[in-house]
Amino acid sequence: MRLTRRTLLQASAAAVVTAGVAAPFVARAQGPEFSYKYANNLPVTHPMNVRAGEMAQAIKAETDGRVEINIFPSNQLGGDTDMLSQLRSGGIEFFTLSPLILSTLVPNASVSGIGFAFPDYASVWNAMDGKLGDYVRGQIAKAGIVAMDKIWDNGFRQITTSTKPIVTAADLKGLKIRVPVSPLWTSMFKAFGSAPASLNFAEVYTALQTGTVDAQENPLAIISTAKLYEVQKYCSLTNHMWDGFWFLANRRAFQALPEDLRAIVAKNINAAGMKEREDVATMNAALQKDLAAKGLAFNPTTPDSFRAELAKAGFYAEWKSKYGDEAWSILESYTGKLG
């Protein structure tokens, strides 16, 4: 699904709405009761922003114009860590963020991203729509942030490089690879003997282009929409982590909405998230062929070598200790024994 210019303008333009009949004309002319900002780090063409545009229009319609959500894609309001700070302070009201980056504030949020934990999407959604998702949302709430019920999809992550294909764990030794600003990523790639560099996503393309790093890892949808194939040569299908996007709300702003409006907003955000999951699955099915045509060379990998290396390096034991028995037992109830 493509985001047309008209849809983008509709999703992001400020609306002039008609308030209730009892309100004076002056109040009606001032616009919506609640005008909120939603920021993210993805291009407008990504399914997240396509569905968010539809979501914003639906919320505006169902609330009779009382709630307006303006979308700021592509790091327009800053990098991930900047936007997380803005969300907490109330500078922005909504923000979508990987649980792995959110772990800089909510340590146990990243439990869903443990390396080589989930073999497929069925196991991911079973966990994230079940007790594991409930557990993580509870942890996020303790930080004063509201996480919507349905996590959006980012996808299984693959490694791209400019130097060589990655086939076994041994190929990662010494590799200069960009990772998100998250302890879990840094820990995992250090366990492989790589040289991870933590950079916000807004810096990735330039870092690859200039050779500051030789590699990065992301789902195919982001590799495509961010045009990383222009500065990378190989894509190794590691499926090393599953990653999603929690749709987060500033608690004060969310609770400021009357209960009926809160319900409409949450319903539409969750529905959009479910549609975005389907979009990413459809996109991934076609992306490998499309990216190969753009010059990216794909290769399979041997997952067992990576799992064995992580276990040998003490990665699983280390993170079980950090997350604690409760979080780890919930995770393993969906993944089976790790490490």
Side-chain angles (χ1 to χ4, degrees):
M1 179 176 182
R2 296 181 61 191
L3 187 62
T4 65
R5 176 174 175 82
R6 180 182 178 186
T7 302
L8 177 59
L9 291 172
Q10 287 175 333
S12 60
V16 177
V17 297
T18 302
V21 293
F25 177 76
V26 172
R28 291 200 302 271
Q30 290 176 345
E33 280 182 64
F34 303 94
S35 183
Y36 285 173
K37 300 184 188 77
Y38 160 49
N40 63 71
N41 64 7
L42 296 182
V44 294
T45 52
H46 190 280
M48 171 182 285
N49 281 308
V50 175
R51 294 302 183 179
E54 297 171 353
M55 171 198 83
Q57 291 181 63
I59 288 170
K60 180 179 172 183
E62 289 188 42
T63 62
D64 295 324
R66 295 174 67 191
V67 179
E68 172 189 78
I69 298 178
N70 294 300
I71 303 169
F72 296 85
S74 300
N75 294 109
Q76 288 180 16
L77 300 185
D80 287 333
T81 49
D82 292 333
M83 290 189 285
L84 180 58
S85 294
Q86 291 176 61
L87 180 80
R88 297 182 71 196
S89 68
I92 58 178
E93 288 79 21
F94 295 108
F95 177 40
T96 32
L97 186 64
S98 160
L100 302 169
I101 301 175
L102 182 58
S103 68
T104 57
L105 173 66
V106 183
N108 280 18
S110 63
V111 67
S112 58
I114 284 290
F116 299 95
F118 296 109
D120 52 37
Y121 269 120
S123 60
V124 167
W125 301 135
N126 191 31
M128 300 312 294
D129 291 338
K131 292 181 180 178
L132 189 63
D134 291 342
Y135 170 80
V136 173
R137 283 196 305 278
Q139 296 295 305
I140 295 170
K142 291 178 182 178
I145 298 172
V146 176
M148 298 296 131
D149 288 347
K150 299 297 183 181
I151 191 169
W152 295 38
D153 191 23
N154 193 358
F156 280 96
R157 304 179 77 91
Q158 321 298 346
I159 296 174
T160 68
T161 66
S162 60
T163 52
K164 63 181 180 180
I166 305 301
V167 179
T168 69
D171 295 320
L172 288 170
K173 292 189 184 301
L175 185 70
K176 292 190 299 181
I177 183 169
R178 175 268 173 178
V179 297
V181 183
S182 168
L184 182 60
W185 263 290
T186 303
S187 170
M188 187 177 81
F189 282 100
K190 281 185 175 178
F192 286 129
S194 304
S198 296
L199 299 171
N200 277 309
F201 186 72
E203 304 171 60
V204 173
Y205 189 99
T206 301
L208 293 169
Q209 188 177 41
T210 59
T212 302
V213 293
D214 297 319
Q216 68 85 48
E217 50 78 64
N218 258 303
L220 293 183
I222 290 182
I223 293 168
S224 175
T225 56
K227 299 185 178 181
L228 300 184
Y229 54 83
E230 294 178 347
V231 288
Q232 295 281 265
K233 185 175 180 181
Y234 304 101
C235 183
S236 304
L237 297 171
T238 49
N239 287 321
H240 54 276
M241 288 174 163
W242 173 80
D243 191 20
F245 294 104
W246 283 114
F247 203 108
L248 306 171
N250 174 278
R251 183 167 63 186
R252 292 183 302 277
F254 193 62
Q255 291 180 343
L257 296 171
E259 187 175 351
D260 60 329
L261 299 187
R262 264 202 317 271
I264 291 171
V265 169
K267 178 192 73 173
N268 280 285
I269 290 174
N270 288 325
M274 295 299 286
K275 292 175 182 177
E276 186 265 359
R277 291 181 186 182
E278 295 176 4
D279 293 340
V280 172
T282 301
M283 178 183 283
N284 283 339
L287 272 177
Q288 186 172 335
K289 181 178 179 181
D290 180 61
L291 289 168
K294 289 181 167 69
L296 202 58
F298 283 83
N299 65 274
T301 60
T302 53
D304 289 347
S305 76
F306 298 96
R307 293 190 197 101
E309 187 65 26
L310 289 180
K312 179 182 174 183
F315 173 79
Y316 293 119
E318 174 191 352
W319 284 92
K320 178 180 179 180
S321 174
K322 288 183 177 180
Y323 290 131
D325 290 341
E326 180 187 9
W328 200 260
S329 64
I330 295 172
L331 174 66
E332 288 193 331
S333 73
Y334 293 100
T335 64
K337 186 72 173 174
L338 293 170

